[in-house]
């Protein structure tokens, strides 16, 4: 998914990025880093969602802080901000110690660069979709990202309906909305597949006469994978 975003010419035009089932949030982290490197701080909103609140706290946010530190801090600032009151905690060159000073500098810098980060946790379903509709959409220029989320046949329709609902609520004459899903072609031993997702979405778009288009791009890798774009 990150490779797909890197190859795209228009991803930086989206002002709101929603990543569903984000985990490590590497796709959002990539766009976050590109925004920091752009120097044109017009504003971006990252909405990161995962089933586990602890993943958001212990994995997602630390990953963003590491990217920020690598992109923004000088070596001198890196060392100074990591000084801990506990002298027994060593500071190493290849790690970021999340001291209060680091967290405060991160918060102040992203605020000055008009970066908003919102975290949502919850399981797929009606209540979660309502949360998305209340806090995310409608908004201007929405990009929805998700990876490795359609592996179970039981939840594939729920995820599909979430994508459709978010896109349709946001897609107006004034707003742009696009979803990009990355997945293995077949999840052996579990049952989900890209073909099953394509069939479900194509049927819903056709039967509902929905103003959406679906395209699938095969990824040239050892394990068969695909990128599915809906807009």
């Amino acid at each position: 998914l990150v490779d797909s975003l890197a190859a795209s010419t228009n991803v930086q035009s989206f002002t709101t990025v929603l990543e569903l089932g984000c985990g490590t949030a590497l796709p959002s982290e990539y766009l976050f880093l590109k925004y920091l490197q752009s120097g044109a701080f017009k504003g971006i909103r990252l909405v990161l969602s995962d089933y586990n609140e602890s993943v958001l706290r212990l994995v997602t946010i630390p990953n963003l802080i590491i990217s920020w530190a690598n992109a923004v801090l000088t070596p001198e600032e890196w060392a100074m901000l990591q000084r801990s009151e506990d002298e027994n905690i060593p500071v190493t060159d290849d790690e970021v110690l999340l001291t209060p000073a680091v967290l405060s500098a991160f918060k102040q810098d992203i605020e000055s660069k008009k970066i908003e980060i919102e975290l949502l946790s919850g399981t797929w379903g009606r209540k979660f979709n309502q949360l998305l509709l209340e806090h995310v959409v409608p908004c201007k220029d929405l990009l929805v990202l998700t990876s490795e989320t359609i592996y179970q046949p039981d939840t594939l329709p729920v995820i599909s309906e979430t994508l459709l609902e978010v896109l349709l609520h946001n897609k107006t004459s004034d707003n742009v909305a696009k979803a990009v899903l990355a997945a293995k072609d077949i999840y052996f031993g579990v049952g989900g597949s890209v073909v099953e997702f394509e069939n479900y979405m194509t049927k819903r778009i056709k039967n509902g006469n929905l103003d959406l288009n679906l395209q699938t791009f095969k990824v040239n890798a050892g394990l068969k994978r695909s990128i599915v774009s809906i807009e």
Side-chain angles (χ1 to χ4, degrees):
L1 183 51
V2 173
D3 288 341
S4 173
L5 296 174
S8 177
T9 58
N10 69 337
V11 290
Q12 293 189 57
S13 64
F14 291 95
T15 55
T16 299
V17 177
L18 166 63
E19 186 169 353
L20 300 170
C22 64
T24 58
L26 293 181
S28 294
E29 185 182 348
Y30 170 78
L31 296 177
F32 172 70
L33 184 59
K34 296 300 289 185
Y35 180 86
L36 289 174
Q37 295 170 340
S38 71
F41 305 127
K42 298 179 181 179
I44 188 171
R45 181 183 178 208
L46 303 177
V47 184
L48 307 171
S49 75
D50 197 90
Y51 173 75
N52 294 299
E53 182 182 345
S54 58
V55 167
L56 296 170
R57 181 169 59 88
L58 300 175
V59 180
T60 308
I61 287 298
N63 272 357
L64 291 176
I65 295 173
I66 291 169
S67 282
W68 166 82
N70 276 306
V72 171
L73 298 181
T74 64
E76 294 76 19
E77 289 171 330
W78 186 293
M80 181 186 68
L81 291 172
Q82 292 189 93
R83 289 175 184 163
S84 172
E85 294 179 359
D86 185 350
E87 296 181 357
N88 294 320
I89 300 178
V91 175
T92 60
D93 293 336
D94 59 349
E95 294 182 355
V96 180
L97 185 63
L98 300 183
T99 62
V102 167
L103 299 178
S104 177
F106 172 75
K107 185 173 184 293
Q108 290 177 17
D109 193 59
I110 64 171
E111 287 177 351
S112 71
K113 291 171 180 171
K114 300 180 181 179
I115 302 170
E116 296 180 37
I117 300 174
E118 298 181 33
L119 307 173
L120 299 175
S121 65
T123 187
W124 303 107
R126 182 70 258 150
K127 289 181 68 176
F128 181 73
N129 287 8
Q130 191 59 40
L131 192 66
L132 292 176
L133 298 181
E134 289 175 1
H135 294 276
V136 182
V137 295
C139 61
K140 188 170 178 61
D141 301 333
L142 172 67
L143 177 63
V144 184
L145 305 174
T146 190
S147 182
E148 308 295 352
T149 50
I150 60 166
Y151 54 88
Q152 287 187 332
D154 290 345
T155 57
L156 185 148
V158 182
I159 296 166
S160 301
E161 291 299 330
T162 298
L163 293 173
L164 289 172
E165 191 160 13
V166 169
L167 289 173
L168 292 172
H169 271 78
N170 202 78
K171 191 173 182 181
T172 66
S173 58
D174 298 323
N175 296 334
V176 175
K178 178 179 180 177
V180 183
L181 176 141
K184 298 181 182 70
D185 283 5
I186 300 175
Y187 289 89
F188 292 103
V190 187
S193 70
V194 168
V195 170
E196 188 175 347
F197 176 74
E198 289 175 315
N199 290 341
Y200 185 95
M201 294 293 280
T202 301
K203 184 176 179 180
R204 283 284 285 111
I205 291 171
K206 181 180 179 180
N207 292 348
N209 195 26
L210 306 179
D211 184 21
L212 293 170
N213 294 305
L214 183 146
Q215 283 185 293
T216 300
F217 307 91
K218 295 300 177 182
V219 177
N220 185 18
L223 188 63
K224 292 184 178 180
R225 302 178 59 83
S226 296
I227 300 289
V228 184
S229 171
I230 310 112
E231 58 185 317

